[in-house]
Amino acid sequence: MPEVPAPNEAVDDPVETAQQVLPVLVDMPFHGALDSTLSYLGPALPPGSLVRAPLGHREVLGLVWDAPSDDLVAPGQTLRALLGTLDPLPPLPLAWRRLVRFAASYYQRSLGEMALSVLPPELRKLDPASLTRRLRRKGGLGSAPAPTDAPQTAARPEPTEDQAQALAQLAALQAREPGGTALLLGVTGSGKTEVYLRRAEEALAQGRQVLVLVPEINLTPQLEARLRDRFPGRLLVTQHSGLTPAQRLRHWLAAHLGQADLVLGTRMAVFSPLPRLGLIVVDEEHDASYKQQEGARYSARDLAVYRGRLEGVPVLLGSATPSLESWRHAQQGRYALVPMRQRVGQGALPQVRLVDMTQQPQAPRGQEPPPLAAPVLAALRERLERGEQSLLFLNRRGFAPVLHCPACQWKSDCPHCSAWRVFHKLDRTLRCHHCGFSDRVPRACPSCGNPDIQPVGRGTERLEEQIGQWLPGVRVARIDADSTRLKGTLEQQLSAVHAGEVDILVGTQMVTKGHDFRRITLVVAVNPDGALFTTDFRGPERLFATLMQAGGRAGRDAEAAARSELWIQTWNPAHALFQSLRRHDYESFAAAQLAEREMAGLPPYSHLALLRVEARTPEAAQDFLALARRDAMAWVEAQAAEVTVYPPVPPYLARVAGLERRQMLLESGSRPALQALLRDWLPGLRGLRAQTPGVARWALDVDPLGI
DNA sequence: AGCACGCCGACT
DNA sequence: GTCGGCGTGCTC
């Protein structure tokens, strides 16, 4: 191996086949420092080139970076030579590299981990020769359809007045500020998708690529179908974790090579390299799924906005119930607010009825109250008589959330978690929903032998059973994570609902998203109060969005819309959230929530970072955070920075799968101050682990969704 | 994070 | 005498 005089200097010898020292990123989290490249010898390659690099005893995928930084290579150290270049591929473009650089520094991950983790995994296995073969075959796209002679845009409906206005507003915005973000506020059924399609059409007509992000791809086959219908002559590819590794690579290549016109995908798609990017759409922008919950915990929605600004490309965020972060940006004029207040086709939103559960007759002593109040049952019967369908929304699967022994007060706890085990009657198990621990339900109390142990509370299994008893002969279907575990059963159950083979559908959150039920005219939120009083400050925001979305399942057929209803069983009918919901008034809800957040100094009025740790003992977890807190507080004092470092606390679930969890919150009104603290603090955290044996893992979450 | 090397128990 | 447990340490 050749000797080099010093790192990071090109070897100035043209005879020596112009070997240079190249800064290369590999997938290594260990280089905690934010900017860290490894130095290799190789031919002159532009930044963004993908290479094969020797690393220890293996050969890994590497990415030539723009500049070396923080490199610990010693002067005179022998550098190894790159093993090859994936040169049939164009280098990843500057805009892509800048996005990765920002994400790595903002979410405090190493550049190498960030960059390599957002490339298709299959790319790691590719050597230059097999890549060349792959690209040569079928023009590089395998089974993807080649551009056809079909019209590039199919017939499209006349925009409604709302849509026309929104489109005019968006066109004006784009002319004024090409990299600007617009927030499209439109209730379910207001025709947001048509606005996306029109904007996409325009970008496509200018020869640009369109990136469409959705929270979960399996919930949005309609959107994919509509894009394909509307743009039959264009190449659309998807990007999500459900693809096989080969498909994902093929789709990614189509995007990167500029062959794909439309990329539709989940959060990972925000990192698709798109040489002709012209528009980014983020549908249901409030959805928590946009936040990655492991590894680099990025928010794809926030990165989409950043990317738009970076590339001078418009970003369109759409929601009926925007995140309060986006809403505040719109209020401040940082995002353009584009309201769409009418449902298409004069369809009315479902009427919201609050059922005051405190006014319902009390159940006899010792008996549990019936699951549905008398007026709700009457409303259900009415639908049955009219041959319409109803949806009972209960966000709790299983038969009962806990079993209880009235004699000795035993409860069905989980031996590994600080949680109850849920009674699943169908397979007679007690299951922990957090660690998966499961065994047969005991015949008698395991503590005192009392044979009369009782279910407490109600899940979807029990509700399904009780409905059958209350309304004999009714056809009930249950859709939740348990009933749809087998592949294809969800589709099967949904088609039974669509075919009218079901009168009442019982379901969890799963059924509230995306599905276009035409015959449902009644939605009942059976027990939504829990979310009102959670410790999570975003609980109300999520509940409001969920109930609006659930209500949106009713009356999707314009003819039935007039008599569609959303009933809410609540012990807190006066709660401001329900009062806003009754009027479908997102704006009053948001105003009230923002006032509360401002008083409490919570986002979007402050910025948060959360350090979480899991350890074998509470002491180890506590010690780790205590040391971390000491360092953070020392930094804050030295810098006289406005950052609050809160004491460590147990999270809602303090023990999961035998590991003790603790967390510590950092809060600041200034994002730069918080970022500066994180940047200086994190390298030291990696060393702390050695001082606190028993720590299994720790993670920093910037802009956490739940605290 | 992988994937080595390294130093002590039950097997062909 | 070997196969293999996962404890520490390195990777341009």
Side-chain angles (χ1 to χ4, degrees):
Chain A
M1 272 179 272
E3 285 271 318
V4 289
N8 314 335
E9 282 174 24
V11 178
D12 196 10
D13 184 0
V15 186
E16 221 21 287
T17 64
Q19 286 275 298
Q20 304 205 330
V21 179
L22 294 168
V24 174
L25 297 178
V26 297
D27 186 7
M28 286 285 143
F30 71 94
H31 281 282
L34 291 182
D35 295 289
S36 54
T37 53
L38 302 185
S39 299
Y40 286 90
L41 294 175
L45 289 170
S49 302
L50 288 161
V51 294
R52 308 283 318 163
L55 185 68
H57 303 269
R58 346 176 245 155
E59 180 185 334
V60 297
L61 180 66
L63 176 66
V64 177
W65 204 239
D66 296 68
S69 50
D70 265 26
D71 196 338
L72 303 174
V73 71
Q77 183 181 332
T78 300
L79 298 184
R80 299 177 76 180
L82 294 176
L83 301 169
T85 311
L86 301 184
D87 42 18
L89 276 190
L92 288 150
L94 178 63
W96 184 91
R97 303 197 302 275
R98 288 171 70 187
L99 179 67
V100 163
R101 183 195 302 278
F102 170 77
S105 102
Y106 188 78
Y107 295 104
Q108 307 294 327
R109 312 298 295 202
S110 79
L111 266 171
E113 182 192 8
M114 195 72 232
L116 278 294
S117 72
V118 301
L119 292 172
E122 192 73 359
L123 211 49
R124 296 170 189 227
K125 299 191 192 136
L126 244 47
D127 56 86
S130 59
L131 177 64
T132 307
R133 272 200 305 278
R134 193 171 203 122
L135 288 173
R136 205 171 288 146
R137 209 170 48 213
K138 300 185 189 169
L141 266 180
S143 62
T148 63
D149 294 335
Q152 299 197 316
T153 300
R156 47 208 189 5
E158 270 306 298
T160 64
E161 199 176 310
D162 252 13
Q163 287 166 343
Q165 247 174 46
L167 288 164
Q169 207 182 330
L170 290 168
L173 171 71
Q174 189 177 352
R176 195 169 65 241
E177 190 193 348
T181 299
L183 178 61
L184 191 55
L185 174 71
V187 296
T188 324
S190 63
K192 288 191 291 293
T193 308
E194 182 59 28
V195 175
Y196 303 155
L197 292 173
R198 292 274 183 153
R199 296 300 298 162
E201 182 185 328
E202 186 156 320
L204 292 169
Q206 290 168 7
R208 314 290 291 270
Q209 292 170 298
V210 176
L211 173 62
V212 181
L213 301 184
V214 291
E216 288 167 63
I217 199 91
N218 53 336
L219 293 177
T220 53
Q222 300 106 304
L223 184 54
E224 184 178 346
R226 278 185 74 177
L227 286 165
R228 290 195 191 280
D229 282 356
R230 179 65 67 91
F231 306 113
R234 303 284 189 176
L235 180 60
L236 179 148
V237 296
T238 53
Q239 279 292 296
H240 55 91
S241 57
L243 299 177
T244 66
Q247 285 172 326
R248 213 171 126 186
L249 174 64
R250 183 151 42 79
H251 294 183
W252 181 88
L253 284 172
H256 179 38
L257 296 172
Q259 296 163 339
D261 299 304
L262 296 132
V263 174
L264 172 67
T266 53
R267 57 178 180 266
M268 66 171 67
V270 77
F271 289 105
S272 299
L274 295 160
R276 316 180 266 115
L277 180 62
L279 171 70
I280 306 176
V281 174
V282 184
D283 192 25
E284 306 291 358
E285 67 87 26
H286 64 280
D287 199 293
S289 305
Y290 284 120
K291 187 90 198 301
Q292 173 102 15
Q293 289 300 350
E294 58 192 19
R297 297 174 174 236
Y298 62 86
S299 158
R301 180 242 294 156
D302 294 350
L303 289 179
V305 171
Y306 183 87
R307 185 170 183 178
R309 252 187 294 140
L310 195 64
E311 304 203 34
V313 156
V315 178
L316 191 47
L317 308 178
S319 177
T321 52
S323 65
L324 290 175
E325 283 80 359
S326 296
W327 181 246
R328 175 135 191 273
H329 282 143
Q331 297 289 293
Q332 293 176 315
R334 286 168 48 90
Y335 297 172
L337 179 61
V338 181
M340 295 178 66
R341 301 184 198 279
Q342 308 289 316
R343 244 180 162 177
V344 170
Q346 307 307 308
L349 286 165
Q351 193 171 26
V352 177
R353 294 178 180 273
L354 298 175
V355 183
D356 185 349
M357 298 302 276
T358 65
Q359 297 301 307
Q360 301 304 311
Q362 293 293 302
R365 263 184 80 81
Q367 280 186 32
E368 283 196 287
L372 300 176
V376 175
L377 268 178
L380 278 175
R381 289 208 179 89
E382 219 178 275
R383 265 63 193 192
L384 284 173
E385 280 159 20
R386 287 208 297 259
E388 295 168 1
Q389 295 174 318
S390 305
L391 167 64
L392 302 183
F393 166 52
L394 176 60
N395 216 6
R396 172 163 266 167
R397 63 197 171 84
F399 188 84
V402 61
L403 283 187
H404 172 241
C405 170
C408 75
Q409 309 306 319
W410 171 85
K411 282 180 156 184
S412 56
D413 52 356
C414 172
H416 311 296
C417 307
S418 50
W420 305 124
R421 277 192 294 158
V422 176
F423 174 34
H424 288 255
K425 193 177 178 183
L426 289 176
D427 57 4
R428 307 292 306 172
T429 58
L430 286 179
R431 295 216 297 260
C432 177
H433 287 181
H434 304 284
C435 73
F437 180 75
S438 167
D439 59 13
R440 267 189 85 78
V441 65
R443 292 183 180 283
C445 173
S447 168
C448 73
N450 171 19
D452 189 26
I453 44 179
Q454 305 279 340
V456 180
R458 180 168 15 249
T460 45
E461 276 186 22
R462 193 177 192 187
L463 183 58
E464 177 189 22
E465 183 181 295
Q466 287 175 320
I467 292 303
Q469 292 161 2
W470 282 55
L471 300 168
V474 74
R475 297 167 302 170
V476 186
R478 174 173 56 90
I479 295 188
D480 57 28
D482 299 310
S483 76
T484 56
R485 188 144 296 157
L486 294 172
K487 197 170 152 54
T489 45
L490 175 62
E491 292 72 19
Q492 217 168 19
Q493 286 182 295
L494 288 173
S495 65
V497 176
H498 291 306
E501 293 157 18
V502 169
D503 301 313
I504 296 178
L505 178 60
V506 173
T508 55
Q509 191 112 13
M510 271 183 87
V511 292
T512 64
K513 287 189 186 182
H515 303 298
D516 201 6
F517 299 114
R518 312 292 335 183
R519 305 175 191 225
I520 287 179
T521 60
L522 172 66
V523 174
V524 181
V526 176
N527 185 15
D529 279 4
L532 280 182
F533 305 107
T534 53
T535 54
D536 181 0
F537 68 90
R538 280 185 235 264
E541 180 182 345
R542 271 203 315 269
L543 178 60
F544 190 87
T546 300
L547 291 177
M548 284 281 275
Q549 203 138 34
R553 298 315 102 201
R556 297 187 66 87
D557 184 58
E559 183 272 323
R563 53 178 193 283
S564 69
E565 293 171 326
L566 169 63
W567 289 58
I568 293 168
Q569 300 195 137
T570 175
W571 276 264
N572 303 277
H575 198 288
L577 185 152
F578 293 132
Q579 294 305 319
S580 292
L581 187 74
R582 220 164 52 137
R583 303 189 305 267
H584 303 107
D585 186 357
Y586 168 79
E587 297 180 35
S588 72
F589 168 75
Q593 280 292 304
L594 283 178
E596 278 183 33
R597 299 275 183 93
E598 185 167 23
M599 295 254 284
L602 288 166
Y605 296 91
S606 70
H607 306 284
L608 305 180
L610 193 66
L611 181 62
R612 306 175 206 264
V613 60
E614 292 179 38
R616 280 196 286 280
T617 63
E619 292 74 27
Q622 203 67 36
D623 289 351
F624 178 85
L625 290 182
L627 290 172
R629 182 160 190 251
R630 180 203 59 192
D631 292 350
M633 289 175 82
W635 186 94
V636 169
E637 187 154 340
Q639 306 284 321
E642 303 255 327
V643 182
T644 310
V645 185
Y646 287 94
V649 292
Y652 165 64
L653 280 171
R655 212 164 81 94
V656 174
L659 291 173
E660 292 287 339
R661 298 181 167 189
R662 294 294 184 273
Q663 60 186 31
M664 182 169 86
L665 187 66
L666 310 184
E667 179 259 305
S668 176
S670 155
R671 209 190 286 271
L674 182 59
Q675 281 284 318
L677 164 57
L678 298 179
R679 184 193 60 223
D680 294 344
W681 185 49
L682 242 78
L685 279 186
R686 292 168 224 280
L688 280 187
R689 213 185 150 143
Q691 295 174 48
T692 53
V695 169
R697 46 183 168 262
W698 61 272
L700 180 78
D701 194 344
V702 180
D703 301 335
L705 279 190
I707 60 171

